[in-house]
Amino acid sequence: DAKTTQPPSMDCAEGRAANLPCNHSTISGNEYVYWYRQIHSQGPQYIIHGLKNNETNEMASLIITEDRKSSTLILPHATLRDTAVYYCIVSSNSGYALNFGKGTSLLVTP
Amino acid sequence: GAVVSQHPSRVICKSGTSVKIECRSLDFQATTMFWYRQFPKQSLMLMATSNEGSKATYEQGVEKDKFLINHASLTLSTLTVTSAHPEDSSFYICSARDAGGRTGELFFGEGSRLTVL
C-alpha cells in the first residue's frame, strides 16, 4: 500500500470547517483513499473513501486532486464531538487489512 | 450499517492467565477478520489476519503460540492471549470486511482493553 503523510495535529474552532490534508504521492491506479477516525478509547470509525472523484456523505467531503497525489477531508461544521485522530489510508479495494499511520489529531475547540 | 462487536470491552487478569476476546460480525458474513493492537498514544498495529476455516496469518514479530486465533464460523473470530504478562496490556481491536458488500469498507469493533496485573 502507498504511504501517506498527514500533519500530526490540527485545531479547529467549533462550527467552522475542518480541512484535513493528506499526501499520498506514490498512490497507484487501483488504490482507494480511505478516511477513518478514532475517538479516544474506541475502535476506528469509517468516514468516507474515494478513488478519483470527489465524494460527499453525511459526515464529510473528500476532495482528491486530479493527479491523486493528495486529498483533503472536509468536516463542514466541526463540533466538539469531532475531536479525534483522523487517519488517511491508501489501499486497494480488496480483502487486505488497512495499515494505519500516525494520523492527525484534530482538536475542536469551543 | 454493518456492525462488528467485541466482547469483553474491558478485562483485567493476573499475570500467567489466558484471556479470550471475541469478535462478531452482527449482520454480515466475514471470511476474513483482522486483529489489531494499540498501545497508548500509538497507532493501530496489525497483528494477524484471521481466515474462516483455516490458519491465521501473523505479522512479523507476533508470536502465533501466544496469540491464538480461531475463526470457526463466518461471523466469529476469537483471539486468546495465552499466559498473559503485563507487557501484553493493550487495546485489542478486531475488524472485518463485508464479503458481500460493495463499498469495501472495513468495519471495526469497539475494542477490548486488556490489563494484565
Side-chain angles (χ1 to χ4, degrees), chain A residues 32 34 46 49-50 93-94, chain B residues 97-98 100-107:
Chain A
Y32 288 72
Y34 289 87
Y46 168 82
H49 77 287
N93 189 6
S94 64
Chain B
R97 183 176 276 114
D98 184 353
R102 57 181 181 83
T103 65
E105 74 179 85
L106 201 57
F107 299 98

Side-chain angles (χ1 to χ4, degrees), chain A residues 34 36 38 41-44 46 49 87 92-102, chain B residues 32 34 36 38 42-44 46 91 93 97 102-106 108-111 113:
Chain A
Y34 289 87
Y36 283 77
Q38 186 179 26
S41 293
Q42 297 182 22
Y46 168 82
H49 77 287
Y87 296 97
S92 59
N93 189 6
S94 64
Y96 297 109
L98 296 178
N99 293 312
F100 286 76
K102 296 183 179 180
Chain B
T32 302
F34 306 99
Y36 294 81
Q38 184 176 32
Q42 294 187 23
S43 187
L44 284 77
L46 180 66
F91 192 49
I93 307 167
R97 183 176 276 114
R102 57 181 181 83
T103 65
E105 74 179 85
L106 201 57
F108 287 82
E110 313 96 322
R113 186 164 300 283

Side-chain angles (χ1 to χ4, degrees), chain A residues 2 4-5 12 23 25 27 32 35-36 49 53-54 58 60 69 72 74 76 79 81 83-84 102 105-107:
Chain A
T4 62
T5 303
C12 177
N23 286 323
S25 59
I27 191 171
Y32 288 72
W35 282 85
Y36 283 77
H49 77 287
N53 299 322
N54 298 336
E58 64 278 5
K69 292 185 177 182
T72 302
I74 301 173
T79 70
R81 288 178 293 181
T83 291
K102 296 183 179 180
S105 178
L106 175 67
L107 175 64

